Each structure stands twice: as structure tokens, then as C-alpha cells.
Amino acid sequence: MNSKQRYMVPLLFIGTVLAGMLSPMQSAVNGQLGKELADGNACAVVSFGSGLVVMFIIILSERLQDNNLLQFLRKFALIIYLGGVG
């Protein structure tokens, strides 16, 4: 077993434990947000919307490392950006 393999198992274990902690933390944050807003639907919109924005930024940053934003956006028809509007 080389040194890289020796350190990978503990690092992956720690990463797994940290990832497992995310779901209960998200539940606690959503519960507190629901209390502050006093509206479950508004809480869901804020939680989902903020997650959507973060994921959109991550995806764009991954895809646009060597491409420019306009070239990427021109690949799709306008109707795709409008989603279910209509």
C-alpha cells in the first residue's frame, strides 16, 4: 500500500461523515427559516430558490472554464429559458 492509498481511506471516511451531516443541518436551517418567515411555502421558495441559484453558478463555472458565456447560451432556444411559462 503506497502513501497515497494510505491517506485516501481516512480522507474519504471524513468526507462521508461530513456529507452525512448536511441533511440534518439543512433540516434545522429550514425549520428555523420557517419559524422566522411564519410561512412554510415562503420558506420552501427561499430554500429551493437559493439552492437553485448556487447550483446554476456552479454549473456555469464548470462549463464556462474555456468558453464564453454568450457562446454557451446561444446553444439553446429561447423557449428553454422560459420553461413552463405559457
Side-chain angles (χ1 to χ4, degrees), residues 1-76:
M1 187 184 232
N2 64 25
S3 64
K4 183 178 179 182
Q5 291 174 334
R6 183 176 20 190
Y7 293 116
M8 284 303 288
V9 172
L11 287 176
L12 290 174
F13 178 77
I14 291 170
T16 302
V17 170
L18 291 175
M21 291 169 51
L22 290 176
S23 181
M25 286 175 26
Q26 182 68 34
S27 296
V29 169
N30 285 345
Q32 190 63 32
L33 182 62
K35 284 182 184 177
E36 292 292 323
L37 296 178
D39 183 8
N41 290 331
C43 173
V45 168
V46 169
S47 178
F48 180 77
S50 61
L52 185 65
V53 168
V54 169
M55 289 303 297
F56 185 72
I57 291 169
I58 291 171
I59 290 170
L60 279 181
S61 68
E62 288 292 320
R63 292 197 177 216
L64 298 177
Q65 287 180 357
D66 8 292
N67 295 341
N68 129 11
L69 179 61
L70 290 176
Q71 290 174 347
F72 176 74
L73 295 176
R74 285 182 187 148
K75 291 181 183 178
F76 303 103

